[in-house]
Structure formats: structure tokens, C-alpha cells
Amino acid sequence: MRAFIGGHEVVSDTDFVELALGTPVELWLGVEGESEMERAARMDAARDILADNPGLPDDVSRVAAEAIEAFAPELFNVIPLPQPARRGRQTRRSGVAA
């Protein structure tokens, strides 16, 4: 099965992320061995992108959730923790539970 995003064929996981977000993954994660100067330039570019697109973090979260749901749905199989029983509130004046 072939997948396309915006007319571009997705051939790897990295392609999927880059095409879905519109930026290379390395911009956000960095690369091994980058210099302090390269890191500063990358961070400046990331700040500019976020300033131009303040909704990007929400988009990233949505894309990640959709990818997990499509390719690893078992990660969403969680067991809810039991909620402790709530006690009635005591009113200060009467000392009676509300």
C-alpha cells in the first residue's frame, strides 16, 4: 500500500513526519555532533516557525495521536485507575455534610 501526503509519496516513517508537519525532524530533535552555533541556528529557526504557526504544537500532538492510533493502537489500551470515593463536603457553619 502506498501513502501520500499533499501529493508526495511517503516512503519512510521520517517522510511521514516531515510531510505531515512541513518541517524536517532534525529541526526539532537536532543531529548528533552539531556544534553550539548549529544548535543556536536550529533553535532560532524553530522559534521563527513556532511564531509563524502557533498551532503547530497542537498539530504535532494530533499527528502523533493519529499515527499511534493507526500503527500501534495497543498503546491506547489503558486501564483506568479506580477513583477514591469522595466524601461529602462539610460546611463550616453547620458541620453537616453538604
Side-chain angles (χ1 to χ4, degrees), residues 11-94:
V11 294
S12 70
D13 295 343
T14 302
D15 282 349
F16 174 79
V17 173
E18 288 182 5
L19 291 168
L21 301 178
T23 62
V25 174
E26 293 82 10
L27 175 68
W28 307 104
L29 303 179
V31 293
E32 189 174 332
E34 74 182 351
S35 69
E36 283 300 316
M37 191 178 224
E38 291 168 327
R39 182 180 187 280
R42 180 175 57 79
M43 298 299 284
D44 284 343
R47 275 190 286 279
D48 289 345
I49 290 170
L50 288 172
D52 290 343
N53 186 359
L56 185 61
D58 292 335
D59 293 343
V60 169
S61 298
R62 182 182 43 74
V63 167
E66 288 173 359
I68 291 168
E69 189 174 43
F71 300 107
E74 68 278 2
L75 295 177
F76 282 130
N77 293 338
V78 296
I79 299 170
L81 296 174
Q83 298 280 332
R86 291 187 172 197
R87 294 183 179 187
R89 291 182 302 157
Q90 299 275 329
T91 62
R92 290 181 190 230
R93 287 183 227 171
S94 66

Side-chain angles (χ1 to χ4, degrees), residues 1-11 15-16 19-20:
M1 183 172 127
R2 294 168 38 176
F4 291 86
I5 296 177
H8 299 284
E9 185 175 7
V10 176
V11 294
D15 282 349
F16 174 79
L19 291 168

